[in-house]
Amino acid sequence: MTITSLSRAVEAEFAPETAYLNTSSCGLLPRRTVEAVKALAEGNATGRRDGAGDFEAADGAREGFARLAGVDAGRVAVGSSVSVHVGLIACSLPAGAEVLAPEGEFSSVVTPFAVRGDLRVRYVPLADLADAVRPGTALVAFSCVQSADGRIADLAALREAAAAHGARTLLDVTQSAGWLPLDAGAYDYTVAGGYKFLLCPRGASFLTVAEEAQQSLPPVFAGWVAGEDRWGSTYGPVAKLASDARRYDEPPAFLSYHGAEQSLALLNEVGIDAIHDHATGLAARFRSGLAGLGRPAVPGDTAVVAVPGLGDRAAELGRAGVMVSDRAGNLRAAFHLYNTEADVDRALDVLSG
């Protein structure tokens, strides 16, 4: 496969008007994505097309995510949000089952379990998560990269601990897929919101389900789009659901998925390894500069940089054209393929003032 030069891709697809360091909140849309959404919206406005969108685009996005995730497309379901995917998994657990999660985990990863009321949800510090898996733990639910501070979970230790105790694993890759290589096949479930590092319009999300886990995950939200024959499943109960993870599909938000297909194609063209090296290199430059200002960041080799106690300066940086976020009191900056060393230096210049 020919890998598109990162710099050429950025020049062709992006024209940010700020030092945009806020991909952890929302990624920038590539030009090709914007054009695909416009084309569908215009077609829907004028009556030139039959239907609100094309399932081929949703399936193209599914295949694009599968390539990034290192799994067959048959293991990928499409939807609209992480919380709905997690809710599906929560429905599959028996009453009294224990779910283990990190303290301070993003709410969409844990709330569907908490609101059931008949599950035991246990929280421990992220650093202690692997050691806290025990006999009787049914599921370990955690993010690869923590939203609040960019810390990366010890993935190998968690997989080993879960396997040793027969626990399933649910990995949220919303803050990592798109810059960090992913092997979704190593987990029972992975979930990803598409509108951050995957650069998709909001309304596209992805669930991967291991083949063994598909045997016990009921398709409780199934509708006609989950049928083996979609257009033959529009009336009455669906006679036959899709034989793979597509039976967990939600009806796709077509505007989002026409765009998502293009965004994921771009990421695959550039290559996650190239994006990883670029983004983490910029993050390391930012961490080094922060240390020089006497404001050390949370340690880590990650594209998401958090500075404790500095969140209240996010608004000031925004006024200066540097887009970051304030999360749990941290100043959070996130780096992606469209960022440059000039963006890093601009942020450091404002913070030094």
Side-chain angles (χ1 to χ4, degrees):
M1 179 181 65
T2 301
I3 302 297
T4 300
S5 162
L6 188 148
S7 59
R8 290 201 304 272
V10 170
E11 182 179 359
E13 298 288 352
F14 300 98
E17 297 179 357
T18 64
Y20 190 80
L21 308 180
N22 203 22
T23 299
S24 277
S25 294
C26 186
L28 299 182
L29 296 179
R31 286 193 177 97
R32 67 174 75 178
T33 300
V34 174
E35 290 305 313
V37 173
K38 283 182 177 178
L40 178 58
E42 290 170 355
N44 286 339
T46 58
R48 295 195 306 267
R49 57 174 298 112
D50 177 19
D54 299 319
F55 282 105
E56 289 80 2
D59 289 337
R62 186 196 318 274
E63 292 165 4
F65 182 77
R67 288 176 61 191
L68 292 177
V71 296
D72 184 86
R75 293 192 182 188
V76 180
V78 301
S80 60
S81 70
V82 163
S83 59
V84 173
H85 295 313
V86 176
L88 173 67
I89 296 163
C91 287
S92 73
L93 297 176
E98 178 180 277
V99 179
L100 178 65
E103 295 174 349
E105 180 58 80
F106 194 75
S107 63
S108 295
V109 181
V110 294
T111 302
F113 302 109
V115 299
R116 262 197 52 172
D118 61 352
L119 301 175
R120 293 179 292 124
V121 186
R122 186 162 58 97
Y123 305 97
V124 300
L126 179 66
D128 299 333
L129 194 61
D131 290 337
V133 184
R134 62 192 182 187
T137 301
L139 179 74
V140 188
F142 60 101
S143 292
C144 178
V145 173
Q146 289 291 299
S147 172
D149 56 21
R151 288 177 298 157
I152 299 181
D154 188 339
L155 301 179
L158 282 161
R159 290 195 302 269
E160 182 179 354
H165 293 290
R168 293 198 185 278
T169 49
L170 165 59
L171 180 69
D172 182 346
V173 298
T174 300
Q175 294 289 355
S176 57
W179 69 267
L180 186 66
L182 170 63
D183 177 14
Y187 306 90
D188 294 288
Y189 313 105
T190 70
V191 291
Y195 66 99
K196 299 180 187 285
F197 289 92
L198 294 176
L199 309 180
C200 301
R202 186 158 189 162
S205 63
F206 303 92
L207 165 69
T208 72
V209 187
E211 290 183 0
E212 193 276 333
Q214 290 181 31
Q215 298 174 17
S216 59
L217 184 65
V220 295
F221 303 145
W224 68 276
V225 301
E228 186 70 38
D229 173 10
R230 289 186 182 113
W231 293 108
S233 303
T234 52
Y235 301 105
V238 176
K240 182 180 180 182
L241 292 172
S243 58
D244 57 17
R246 191 169 64 75
R247 66 179 175 272
Y248 306 117
D249 275 11
E250 297 174 57
F254 282 124
L255 287 168
S256 297
Y257 276 94
H258 275 238
E261 180 183 30
Q262 300 300 318
S263 295
L264 295 166
L266 173 64
L267 294 175
N268 278 304
E269 289 167 15
V270 176
I272 295 302
D273 288 342
I275 297 171
H276 171 271
D277 292 347
H278 177 75
T280 57
L282 293 176
R285 181 184 182 93
F286 189 47
R287 285 191 179 88
S288 177
L290 288 165
L293 296 176
R295 300 306 302 247
V298 174
D301 182 18
T302 167
V304 182
V305 180
V307 192
L310 210 61
D312 58 359
R313 297 198 64 181
E316 174 192 349
L317 284 156
R319 290 191 293 271
V322 180
M323 308 307 292
V324 294
S325 51
D326 175 4
R327 292 293 184 273
N330 300 314
L331 177 72
R332 186 184 67 181
F335 298 87
H336 207 356
L337 77 167
Y338 38 65
N339 292 124
T340 65
E341 290 184 352
D343 293 336
V344 176
D345 297 343
R346 176 60 181 150
L348 292 170
D349 182 60
V350 175
L351 289 170
S352 68

